[in-house]
Amino acid sequence: MSNNAEAIPFFTPPSTRFAQLGFLKIAELACRQHGDKVWIGEKNNAVLLLAGARHVRLLIEQESQFVKEFEHLSSASTIGRILLGQSLTTSKEGEEWRLARKLTTPLVNPKSPLLKQNTNLSAHWLLDILQDPQQTSLREICLQWALMCVAEGFFGQGISLAQLNTLIGHFRSIYLQLIIAAPTSDYEALCRHPALVAFRLEVESLLGPLLDDARCGNATMLERLCQALSPGAHPDARERVINILLGNLAASVDNTGIALLWTLTHISQHPHYQQCVREESAHGKRNMASAIVRESLRLTPVTAFFERLVAENIMVDDYIIPAGTRVLFSPWLVHRNAACWAEPLCFRPERFLGQEKIAPEYFLPFSVGKRNCVGMTLALDQLTTAVATLCEHFQFSLAPSTPPAALTPLFALNVIPRGDVSFILESTDKAEQNVFIQ
């Protein structure tokens, strides 16, 4: 029995194959060939993939040994930090991270009257927009829906949805530009990237006036952050408030919006589940709608991997993993592991309707531990409300024109369908049909 981490198998795909397949497929191939513990990449610059549920359990039990890291420029966490500074989603553990989480948590409570109202209004907006023959992109509709769910809770009514939508679009573009530039740039060069400089000016011009006019209150995330951090009196706090707002907004919109897109993609192929939702809704229940959301998040979690750095030497499966090792945990691979789930590639929401509690190392679409998604309960409520509302009014199916390859996953900022997906929507009240293209 070896305790040398270098004895763990390596998987080094050719660069051309990596570009063609993408990292998600590479990780699946690596596990298929070498098991759920494997180095991926060149030996002098590899990341250790820990893809088993037992590895997630180790993370839960020894969380302090696995920390956020920012030293490796190609990592998503480093790019996020360059973009967002000490925001909730990117900062290291510490006083600033704890403060950001403490301030944010009460404002993503799905029972909040404001958020509940916006969740319901956004779900009914979906009903209207899906009947508009001019709309052709279901992906953009889902992202717009996610933005509508949270925008007022973040900013009140001081900024338009169109402005916020443009800002988030630019955020995605800059993020990808920095990821591409990272392998050939040092940290300081990335911080001076012209596109990033222009983006920061755009953010300040849009959000800065809101901070200047903010009241001291608890109604919105903006007000709560301004009350706690006093951005008018402390220049550094101004940037912190903006970064926390932008980081949480981007995560809330992209992850929840794409999760809705995948959920609709799954249930469009299973009309009997839609009927179950309708029957439950007639009795004021939505257990099946909630189970459908969870099963979609199991089968296609939008966060396929999350990265940590080993803080101190640690034993993993009888191997000593040295401090400083970059490791990847994978909700995607755990969720599709037959050792954790019966018939893991089948869409079966009934898994989440039983009385038995599902172990956290088996189901982690929002990560695990103290760094799990602060808004996960809110996101589940938003998605469940949208599914229940849509199923009540529509019967939808996958259009025959959709090629099977379009439904395969592509790992970019998050996991999205690889191509255009078409749906046939039929009103449950009227014999009308519309086709929309994602």
Side-chain angles (χ1 to χ4, degrees), residues 295-426:
E295 176 67 349
S296 178
L297 288 168
R298 182 198 67 82
L299 195 56
T300 46
V302 295
T303 301
F305 306 95
F306 56 91
E307 183 178 342
R308 295 292 185 265
L309 188 76
V310 175
E312 300 176 0
N313 290 0
I314 189 170
M315 186 73 73
V316 177
D317 296 347
D318 298 322
Y319 292 87
I320 296 176
I321 307 303
T325 299
R326 294 167 54 223
V327 296
L328 286 180
F329 297 93
S330 178
W332 182 277
L333 294 171
V334 170
H335 289 184
R336 290 167 168 251
N337 190 332
C340 304
W341 302 90
E343 298 181 291
L345 300 185
C346 294
F347 186 76
R348 289 173 46 197
E350 296 89 348
R351 305 174 199 271
F352 294 91
L353 292 176
Q355 297 298 317
E356 186 175 348
K357 187 176 180 180
I358 295 173
E361 63 265 33
Y362 287 179
F363 184 63
L364 54 153
F366 300 98
S367 188
V368 292
K370 63 186 177 182
R371 293 206 70 108
N372 65 357
C373 174
V374 69
M376 62 180 178
T377 305
L378 176 61
L380 287 171
D381 183 71
Q382 292 165 343
L383 290 162
T384 299
T385 300
V387 168
T389 303
L390 290 176
C391 287
E392 184 179 355
H393 293 84
F394 285 127
Q395 178 80 22
F396 41 100
S397 57
L398 196 66
S401 59
T402 301
L407 303 181
T408 59
L410 174 65
F411 181 45
L413 291 179
N414 43 32
V415 180
I416 60 176
R418 189 172 294 268
D420 292 338
V421 181
S422 298
F423 294 88
I424 298 174
L425 303 178
E426 183 175 356

Side-chain angles (χ1 to χ4, degrees), residues 176-232:
L176 291 174
Q177 287 184 58
L178 293 180
I179 287 286
I180 293 171
T184 58
S185 304
D186 59 28
Y187 186 90
E188 295 300 325
L190 286 176
C191 291
R192 297 191 303 269
H193 194 287
L196 176 60
V197 173
F199 177 69
R200 284 178 172 157
L201 291 174
E202 177 188 6
V203 171
E204 171 59 34
S205 67
L206 190 61
L207 301 186
L210 299 181
L211 270 64
D212 295 336
D213 297 336
R215 299 174 299 169
C216 289
N218 292 311
T220 68
M221 188 178 294
L222 172 68
E223 291 176 359
R224 190 177 180 92
L225 291 173
C226 287
Q227 184 180 47
L229 300 177
S230 302

Side-chain angles (χ1 to χ4, degrees), residues 224-244:
R224 190 177 180 92
L225 291 173
C226 287
Q227 184 180 47
L229 300 177
S230 302
H234 306 287
D236 289 345
R238 184 182 187 87
E239 183 177 352
R240 289 168 63 189
V241 170
I242 290 176
N243 287 337
I244 293 172

Side-chain angles (χ1 to χ4, degrees), residues 114-134:
L114 178 60
L115 290 176
K116 194 69 177 177
Q117 172 183 292
N118 287 331
T119 294
N120 290 326
L121 289 174
S122 301
H124 284 86
W125 172 85
L126 277 174
L127 295 178
D128 294 334
I129 202 70
L130 288 174
Q131 297 177 80
D132 182 354
Q134 301 302 315

Side-chain angles (χ1 to χ4, degrees), residues 21-335:
L21 297 178
F23 186 78
L24 186 58
K25 181 59 68 175
I26 291 297
E28 290 178 331
L29 289 173
C31 287
R32 193 172 301 132
Q33 291 186 20
H34 300 292
D36 59 12
K37 179 175 65 273
V38 56
W39 294 99
I40 297 181
E42 301 291 340
K43 286 201 172 185
N44 59 349
N45 188 31
V47 61
L48 179 61
L49 175 61
L50 300 176
R54 68 189 182 283
H55 301 133
V56 178
R57 170 53 59 181
L58 178 66
L59 169 63
I60 295 171
E61 294 174 347
Q62 301 189 46
E63 190 169 6
S64 63
Q65 300 300 315
F66 298 94
V67 299
K68 277 275 193 176
E69 63 93 2
F70 304 101
E71 289 73 23
H72 194 271
L73 286 182
S74 64
S75 72
S77 58
T78 299
I79 302 305
R81 185 173 177 86
I82 291 173
L83 263 171
L84 300 171
Q86 288 280 8
S87 82
L88 173 64
T89 55
T90 63
S91 61
K92 296 180 181 180
E93 282 82 355
E95 184 58 33
E96 189 150 16
W97 177 82
R98 285 190 289 271
L99 174 63
R101 192 163 182 105
K102 178 181 178 181
L103 292 172
T104 303
T105 300
L107 296 169
V108 290
N109 182 349
K111 295 181 180 180
S112 159
L114 178 60
L115 290 176
K116 194 69 177 177
Q117 172 183 292
N118 287 331
T119 294
N120 290 326
L121 289 174
S122 301
H124 284 86
W125 172 85
L126 277 174
L127 295 178
D128 294 334
I129 202 70
L130 288 174
Q131 297 177 80
D132 182 354
Q134 301 302 315
Q135 299 293 331
T136 58
S137 173
L138 186 60
R139 179 182 177 185
E140 291 304 317
I141 288 173
C142 290
L143 292 172
Q144 183 76 0
W145 160 82
L147 176 59
M148 291 181 68
C149 284
V150 298
E152 189 173 355
F154 275 55
F155 300 102
Q157 297 181 346
I159 187 170
S160 72
L161 287 172
Q163 289 173 308
L164 286 174
N165 195 45
T166 298
L167 186 67
I168 294 176
H170 291 168
F171 175 89
R172 297 184 193 108
S173 174
I174 301 303
Y175 190 98
L176 291 174
Q177 287 184 58
L178 293 180
I179 287 286
I180 293 171
T184 58
S185 304
D186 59 28
Y187 186 90
E188 295 300 325
L190 286 176
C191 291
R192 297 191 303 269
H193 194 287
L196 176 60
V197 173
F199 177 69
R200 284 178 172 157
L201 291 174
E202 177 188 6
V203 171
E204 171 59 34
S205 67
L206 190 61
L207 301 186
L210 299 181
L211 270 64
D212 295 336
D213 297 336
R215 299 174 299 169
C216 289
N218 292 311
T220 68
M221 188 178 294
L222 172 68
E223 291 176 359
R224 190 177 180 92
L225 291 173
C226 287
Q227 184 180 47
L229 300 177
S230 302
H234 306 287
D236 289 345
R238 184 182 187 87
E239 183 177 352
R240 289 168 63 189
V241 170
I242 290 176
N243 287 337
I244 293 172
L245 285 167
L246 185 58
N248 280 278
L249 181 66
S252 298
V253 172
D254 278 41
N255 290 339
T256 312
I258 297 303
L260 178 61
L261 174 60
W262 276 119
T263 302
L264 297 181
T265 300
H266 288 303
I267 61 174
S268 70
Q269 302 170 75
H270 300 278
H272 59 290
Y273 289 128
Q274 298 176 45
Q275 182 60 30
C276 290
V277 172
R278 277 191 286 276
E279 292 172 357
E280 282 197 344
S281 295
H283 296 89
K285 297 180 180 179
R286 50 186 218 171
N287 295 336
M288 178 56 77
S290 176
I292 285 170
V293 168
R294 284 171 166 79
E295 176 67 349
S296 178
L297 288 168
R298 182 198 67 82
L299 195 56
T300 46
V302 295
T303 301
F305 306 95
F306 56 91
E307 183 178 342
R308 295 292 185 265
L309 188 76
V310 175
E312 300 176 0
N313 290 0
I314 189 170
M315 186 73 73
V316 177
D317 296 347
D318 298 322
Y319 292 87
I320 296 176
I321 307 303
T325 299
R326 294 167 54 223
V327 296
L328 286 180
F329 297 93
S330 178
W332 182 277
L333 294 171
V334 170
H335 289 184

